[in-house]
Amino acid sequence: MKQLRNSSSSWSELPSDLLNSVFERLGFADSRRVESVCWSWYSAARRCLAKKQIPWLFLLPDEEGKLYRMRAEVFIFAKSYCLATCGNWLLMIDHWSDLYILNLFTHEWIYLPPVESLRGTTKLERNSEGGFCISNRNDHHPFPVKFKGIKDIMHSPVFWIDEQTKEYVVVWGLGHWCSVVYSKKGDAFWNQLQIPPGSSCSSQMVYKDHKLYYFRFRNDYFGNSSGYIKIFDFSREIPQETFHCGVTFGTSLLDYQPSDSWRIRATKIVVTVTGDVLKVEQLVKNEQRVQLWSFRVYKAGFFNKYDEQVDSLGDEAMLFDLGITVLANDDIVGFKRNSIYYNVTCYENNTTQICVFNLETQEMEEPLHEFVCSSEQQLARARWFLPSFKQP
């Protein structure tokens, strides 16, 4: 028995370099298993996981009333949607239009205030049909507008949560007015940011380092986009606007080579690791029944009409759908430097995949992952996300 105890103890005393060289080759499931052996193995496994950045796919069941059991609780996911992700956390909405935040690995839930608790110029009320009536004091509509569910009028939802303190901020756009509402930990209601209402416009938001980057734009008849960018500081009790600048974007495709058949699929802002704001145009064209993708990256021209084109991201990789860049150097496994990662969904084949565009070569690379969903409903609710594993 003494020899057996000594042998067991020796496993926990293996050199950290040896443990790292082994654990770096393990997948996620095996890494979680070795964490339970002893504290030294747990620490080594967590260090190795923290260096890996691999996109995950979150799928919800498409069968009516299907149940998933997590620990001792039963959660109904059949009619739920994932609206946004932040590390290991998911912003969810159920078929009652109730919002909550869910940790995918610890199964912890945080319920958010009811949407009808919204304060400000925009009012939301549940009607007898199970839907909502929305009205705005600054709007010209004589009667409230009816919607079946809140998800139908939500735009660009984003959120942030601290893994340790569980402090959180949830932000989303509302309706064709491009109103922005938010709720923080401790709030029993939703607040409204002081943003002038607009119409026939689109908006996008990115939340990073306690700042909300808000981009509103509209396209004119000639294909040009104009709008503005606002930055709000959420580190204070009441968010304060710290930056505002009008932006004019020329989006003519005639100067793009090799042909003018390219069309702009989407225009987004992307916030870099250092906080710089980029304007990114995603272009697409069909060639012999194959969909080709390309990107143009600019440093947003806040104080002049023309943007400065960016041909390199350096030691960073862009996650286009999340609106951010991440470090992609030799110390981090998973992303290639100077590359753009984006999601492509094909409803004809019910597939979703992560694709890569090399900014240096201006070429598409082999897709990282492809997954075939069981139905169009499941495909519509599939969500790629980037889990985070902090070092102990």
Side-chain angles (χ1 to χ4, degrees), residues 116-129:
E116 59 267 32
S117 65
L118 174 62
R119 296 181 174 182
T121 57
T122 303
K123 298 297 182 182
L124 282 169
E125 295 181 354
R126 293 184 187 260
N127 56 37
S128 59
E129 302 171 355

Side-chain angles (χ1 to χ4, degrees), residues 366-379:
E366 288 295 323
L368 291 187
H369 307 281
E370 181 179 43
F371 191 88
V372 180
C373 297
S374 60
S375 67
E376 184 174 324
Q377 179 187 10
Q378 187 183 54
L379 177 64

Side-chain angles (χ1 to χ4, degrees), residues 165-181:
T165 65
K166 303 302 184 294
E167 296 285 337
Y168 66 82
V169 177
V170 181
V171 189
W172 42 281
L174 177 62
H176 70 278
W177 304 279
C178 292
S179 301
V180 177
V181 300

Side-chain angles (χ1 to χ4, degrees), residues 7 43 72 78 81 92 100 123 143 207 246 257-258 283 286 354 385:
S7 176
S43 300
Y81 280 80
M92 304 290 293
Y100 59 94
K123 298 297 182 182
F143 303 104
Y207 193 93
Q257 300 298 327
L283 301 103
N286 295 318
I354 295 290
F385 72 102

Side-chain angles (χ1 to χ4, degrees), residues 87-320:
N88 303 334
W89 293 80
L90 311 174
L91 174 60
M92 304 290 293
I93 184 170
D94 61 23
H95 65 285
W96 293 288
S97 290
D98 292 326
L99 297 168
Y100 59 94
I101 305 174
L102 168 68
N103 188 309
L104 189 61
F105 301 112
T106 65
H107 314 142
E108 181 178 357
W109 280 40
I110 299 176
Y111 289 96
L112 301 177
V115 293
E116 59 267 32
S117 65
L118 174 62
R119 296 181 174 182
T121 57
T122 303
K123 298 297 182 182
L124 282 169
E125 295 181 354
R126 293 184 187 260
N127 56 37
S128 59
E129 302 171 355
F132 288 85
C133 294
I134 180 172
S135 60
N136 189 289
R137 293 200 301 263
N138 299 323
D139 202 359
H140 300 294
H141 291 293
F143 303 104
V145 180
K146 293 183 178 181
F147 290 93
K148 188 175 182 179
I150 289 298
K151 188 180 71 67
D152 299 331
I153 54 174
M154 294 181 72
H155 299 291
S156 190
V158 293
F159 78 105
W160 164 86
I161 184 169
D162 186 284
E163 293 280 358
Q164 301 297 326
T165 65
K166 303 302 184 294
E167 296 285 337
Y168 66 82
V169 177
V170 181
V171 189
W172 42 281
L174 177 62
H176 70 278
W177 304 279
C178 292
S179 301
V180 177
V181 300
Y182 71 93
S183 185
K184 305 169 72 172
K185 182 180 179 180
D187 291 343
F189 47 81
W190 293 89
N191 293 287
Q192 193 167 341
L193 288 180
Q194 297 302 314
I195 296 179
S199 61
S200 302
C201 62
S202 300
S203 63
Q204 178 213 350
M205 292 181 285
V206 177
Y207 193 93
K208 180 178 173 62
D209 297 333
H210 304 291
K211 294 180 181 178
L212 177 71
Y213 298 78
Y214 176 80
F215 175 38
R216 181 194 287 185
F217 60 96
R218 60 183 301 175
N219 298 320
D220 61 22
Y221 178 78
F222 301 100
N224 297 312
S225 297
S226 61
Y228 59 78
I229 293 177
K230 289 178 178 286
I231 300 177
F232 293 88
D233 182 3
F234 270 75
S235 64
R236 311 175 188 181
E237 183 176 353
I238 300 177
Q240 299 291 321
E241 181 180 327
T242 59
F243 181 85
H244 172 97
C245 188
V247 183
T248 300
F249 296 135
T251 57
S252 172
L253 301 183
L254 297 179
D255 59 346
Y256 189 83
Q257 300 298 327
S259 73
D260 60 358
S261 61
W262 290 91
R263 66 185 186 277
I264 296 178
R265 174 70 177 272
T267 301
K268 292 187 176 184
I269 59 169
V270 173
V271 183
T272 68
V273 172
T274 57
D276 292 331
V277 180
L278 304 176
K279 184 201 76 172
V280 184
E281 295 175 345
Q282 183 187 47
L283 301 103
V284 62
K285 74 173 181 178
N286 295 318
E287 189 172 280
Q288 297 179 353
R289 297 185 178 182
V290 176
Q291 208 167 44
L292 302 180
W293 299 88
S294 185
F295 290 84
R296 292 190 293 194
V297 182
Y298 302 90
K299 183 173 290 187
F302 293 140
F303 304 107
N304 55 71
K305 183 177 180 180
Y306 301 102
D307 301 318
E308 176 186 348
Q309 189 156 3
V310 176
D311 55 10
S312 176
L313 298 174
D315 289 333
E316 297 180 28
M318 180 186 299
L319 309 184
F320 180 71

Side-chain angles (χ1 to χ4, degrees), residues 15-32:
S16 59
D17 291 342
L18 176 61
L19 292 176
N20 291 338
S21 65
V22 175
F23 294 166
E24 286 175 354
R25 294 168 170 79
L26 299 180
F28 174 77
D30 290 332
S31 295
R32 298 307 299 266

